[in-house]
Amino acid sequence: MGRNDIIQVEEKSFEPLTLIMDVLRSWWVILLGALGAAMLTAVIFSFRYEPVYSTSATFVVTMKNNANAGNVWSKAYEMAETMKLILESSSMNRIICEELDVDYVDAKITTETLGSTNLLTLKVTADTSKEAMDVIRVVMNNYDKVSFYTTGITAMEVLEQPTVPTAPSNSNDVKRPALKAFLAAGAALTFLFGLFSYLNDTIKMESDVEKKLDASCLGQIPFERKNKTAREWFRRNKKALLINNPVTGFAFVEAYRKLAVKVDHRMKKHGLKALVVTSVAENEGKSTMAANLAIALAGQSRRVILIEGDLRRPAQFLLFDKMPTEKQEIGEFLKENSELKDIMIKSEVPNLYVILGRNCYASSTEMVQGARMEELLEQCQKAADYVIIDSPPIGLIGDAEVLARKAGAVLVVSKQNYLRAEDINDALDGFRARKAVVLGVVLNHVRTFAGVVDGGTYGKYGKYAGVYGDKGNR
């Protein structure tokens, strides 16, 4: 059984928050789908709508020849029942057809008594106002002829004449069915997107790394919000999310401390000192991961050099808020325009040096493949305990694989619920094919339903107070 077969037979992991987030990200599709269903329903009901017009007359049931009227209301009820039979009779139907000169009567004729009274109503409903009036007038003019032998001692007097209907009696109310269609479509689309999220073969939980990937899990980094206040959010502050920042959350810092311990252990186990930090795609947090891992290792009294290996979209100079001069550019060193002493910059974090760059180089692959990069890594490994290299994503260019082969080890950053497990495994196979040690995978930007309910893991313990940065200030 192959790797893909193993993945397919495993149980699907379930993290409620990732499912909810996937559905919320598709809110506009759900809304448009629900609105489309409502509009379509309104159009269908409008096309199917056929207006009808109703008119009615009210009669008083009385007794003929001053007969006993003590139970006239029961006589009214009997009269209504009798009248129904009369109106449905072939005789009345024939009279209506003859007087209106039609082949059949296309109208609905009903009668009913008004509660426990001697009042009776005659109602006619037809497709047009004229038809309704014509039919009710024929019925009222010819009723006595048909009912002469059936009504006995009772008689009917008109109390209220019929009026010409000016508006349909059945309203074209499309709001209710449109609303039902909107809610039904919204619920159906929400369910479908939730189902797709559940079936989507991404890495949603830390346990998924071990189950679905050909690599061990080095841990997970919880999601940490950059802008923690409304004021910061409105200002869109682009500050770095580093663990030596005093306001950084405890859980975030503690996760990197644990990661540094595991990296230190595994690097020693393999006898390696240089580590490439990369991701399969963009926006997975690999640059922040590389910077914080370097800070965490330096906080454990390790001499660390952090190298900007992404020569196309450098980011470390922004994270550390340092603007290297032209001579301090790593690209200039690789082009043999400067020396190692020129590009080595001491950071504010004790035991941590950084080699930065802010220029973009289209020929980055050729530059990292050259002997100058091997010389840089060799000298850095002699001068430090660990060399952390921030490389471009694997899926964009081949720089990460080249750097991993030269460094010897690679750590892959995977954003929660972002990429398919198959794509990540293909990248891991690419590193192993170039004889690089895959140190493991770190699940990044992790949010869990339990964490949201509890207000964030370790939230009640407050902030970590920038433990690594504080050491440098003492």
Side-chain angles (χ1 to χ4, degrees), residues 83-152:
M83 194 170 183
K84 290 180 184 179
L85 299 176
I86 294 173
L87 295 175
E88 294 173 359
S89 67
S90 59
S91 299
M92 179 61 76
N93 188 74
R94 184 176 62 254
I95 292 173
I96 296 174
C97 290
E98 289 176 353
E99 293 202 12
L100 297 181
D101 193 20
V102 294
D103 295 330
Y104 63 94
V105 179
D106 189 14
K108 182 181 180 182
I109 306 172
T110 59
T111 60
E112 64 177 343
T113 55
L114 300 180
S116 300
T117 68
N118 62 334
L119 299 179
L120 183 146
T121 60
L122 169 65
K123 183 178 181 181
V124 176
T125 302
D127 292 339
T128 65
S129 178
K130 184 178 182 302
E131 290 179 25
M133 286 301 297
D134 289 344
V135 171
I136 198 169
R137 282 171 179 165
V138 171
V139 172
M140 293 176 67
N141 293 336
N142 295 276
Y143 176 75
D144 288 340
K145 298 178 182 178
V146 179
S147 61
F148 181 78
Y149 297 104
T150 59
T151 56

Side-chain angles (χ1 to χ4, degrees), residues 59-64 67 69 72 75-76 118 153-157:
F59 299 87
V60 178
V61 179
T62 59
M63 309 303 293
K64 291 181 180 180
V72 72
K75 294 295 183 180
N118 62 334
I153 62 174
T154 58
M156 292 198 309
E157 296 178 3

Side-chain angles (χ1 to χ4, degrees), residues 158-175:
V158 178
L159 178 65
E160 184 179 346
Q161 292 287 349
T163 58
V164 178
T166 58
S169 57
N170 60 330
S171 62
N172 184 22
D173 184 14
V174 299
K175 293 182 179 179

Side-chain angles (χ1 to χ4, degrees), residues 214-252:
D214 294 335
S216 58
C217 182
L218 292 181
Q220 64 180 26
I221 307 298
F223 175 79
E224 178 79 2
R225 195 177 301 278
K226 285 186 178 180
N227 301 313
K228 300 181 184 297
T229 64
R231 184 177 181 182
E232 291 177 341
W233 188 88
F234 280 113
R235 289 186 176 184
R236 290 286 194 266
N237 292 339
K238 295 183 178 180
K239 60 184 178 182
L241 197 59
L242 299 180
I243 59 176
N244 61 332
N245 190 324
V247 299
T248 304
F250 175 83
F252 188 75

Side-chain angles (χ1 to χ4, degrees), residues 30-65:
I30 297 173
L31 178 60
L32 289 178
L35 288 174
M39 293 174 63
L40 180 61
T41 302
V43 170
I44 292 175
F45 270 76
S46 296
F47 273 113
R48 294 178 57 185
Y49 171 66
E50 296 180 357
V52 294
Y53 297 82
S54 299
T55 186
S56 61
T58 304
F59 299 87
V60 178
V61 179
T62 59
M63 309 303 293
K64 291 181 180 180
N65 302 322

